[in-house]
Amino acid sequence: MASQERMKKVASADGTSIAFEKVGDGAPVILVGGAFCDHRSRPAGLPLADALAAKFSVYSYDRRGRGESTDTPPYSVAREVEDLGALLAAVGGSAHVYGHSSGAVLAFEAAHAGLPIQKLALYEPPLVLEGRAPVPKDLVQQLRALSAAGKRAETAELFLTRAVGVPAEVVARRKTTPAWPFLEALAHTLSYDATLTADAPALLARAASVTTPTLLLDGERSEPWLRSGVDKFARALPNATHSTLAAQTHDVDPLALGPVLLAFFGA
């Protein structure tokens, strides 16, 4: 776990302070986490950074409202893209970018906005297109209302059941685990992730204009609706390849993912 002394900060365009940590030496790679994640989290935080650090300078950061980063309302996707732009400027002007889940959507939005991203790797952007119940059209508003009322547990439950599609009985079991307080602590940012992923068809429509070399990844044991969305996204991007990691789920193991990213970013 990083100490506050090891964290550095960069100011985004609206004055929000974005905290990040660097490990390794070499060409820069920025990791973008998804819902319930900060810079320490397994799928796109320090564990993955350590797996890439032998060849790259790897930057894991706290998205706005999380960890050591501050926040500036009102939220918009454009503000999060500016956060990533500030990091790109801080690490030398351009970088490879990897995103996990809703962080993959954010990384895509940054490429679509024209940020200087050399290569883009996206693990299971959660595009709800088929194979499961649709996301409620007012999910963002519901999440904001629960969060504003201080109902963190209810906010996390709503996101898990309606955005992610986790059965209610599984969420009930999660609430008894040591990890649940960490999920509640980030509940106020879940409307941000829901905003990023609210319109999957629109994301696909915008994909045609993104020519950044892109690697789309999914896990062999992930939910079929997730894998279907990844396949459709890969087909919509003009310069993308699609690869499936054996025995992996949405909670991808950095030791399985690391060699794939090393090969892609290092090619």
Side-chain angles (χ1 to χ4, degrees):
M1 183 181 298
S3 66
Q4 291 187 12
E5 290 74 18
R6 291 173 60 184
M7 297 291 286
K8 297 181 179 180
K9 296 184 178 181
V10 62
S12 191
D14 67 353
T16 302
S17 180
I18 302 300
F20 65 93
E21 182 170 354
K22 172 194 171 188
V23 297
D25 290 296
V29 174
I30 296 175
L31 310 181
V32 188
F36 296 114
C37 291
D38 64 11
H39 79 281
R40 301 166 297 177
S41 299
R42 183 172 116 117
L46 289 177
L48 179 59
D50 288 339
L52 303 177
K55 293 187 178 180
F56 295 99
S57 295
V58 191
Y59 299 83
S60 54
Y61 76 102
D62 290 332
R63 285 172 52 193
R64 60 172 53 211
R66 311 180 190 200
E68 297 298 318
S69 293
T70 61
D71 204 354
T72 307
Y75 175 80
S76 74
V77 173
R79 299 293 80 75
E80 282 226 81
V81 169
E82 289 172 352
D83 299 345
L84 189 47
L87 275 170
L88 285 163
V91 306
S94 66
H96 303 309
V97 175
Y98 163 78
H100 174 264
S101 194
S102 60
V105 177
L106 175 54
F108 163 80
E109 293 286 13
H112 182 264
L115 267 61
I117 296 172
Q118 297 168 14
K119 291 183 180 180
L120 193 62
L122 310 176
Y123 191 90
E124 294 189 356
L127 275 60
V128 181
L129 296 164
E130 60 184 13
R132 53 155 288 185
V135 175
K137 293 186 181 299
D138 65 342
L139 180 63
V140 172
Q141 290 73 24
Q142 291 186 53
L143 291 166
R144 286 175 178 166
L146 286 171
S147 179
K151 297 180 178 180
R152 290 184 172 273
E154 292 88 343
T155 307
E157 286 182 65
L158 178 64
F159 186 87
L160 287 168
T161 54
R162 301 310 302 273
V164 184
V166 179
E169 59 272 19
V170 175
V171 176
R173 290 196 296 271
R174 287 190 183 181
K175 291 174 72 175
T176 67
T177 67
W180 185 256
F182 177 79
L183 302 188
E184 282 195 16
L186 292 175
H188 61 288
T189 64
L190 295 175
S191 63
Y192 304 174
D193 301 286
T195 300
L196 278 161
T197 58
D199 195 343
L203 285 170
L204 287 182
R206 292 199 298 277
S209 65
V210 176
T211 58
T212 306
T214 303
L215 176 63
L216 263 292
L217 296 162
D218 61 0
E220 181 185 28
R221 295 181 180 174
S222 291
E223 294 291 330
W225 70 266
L226 270 170
R227 300 192 63 195
S228 174
V230 170
D231 180 66
K232 286 180 170 57
F233 207 15
R235 293 174 186 271
L237 286 159
N239 196 12
T241 56
H242 179 193
S243 183
T244 297
L245 300 190
Q248 294 303 302
T249 66
H250 195 58
D251 184 24
V252 61
D253 184 349
L255 296 181
L257 176 60
V260 177
L261 295 183
L262 285 171
F264 176 64
F265 289 144

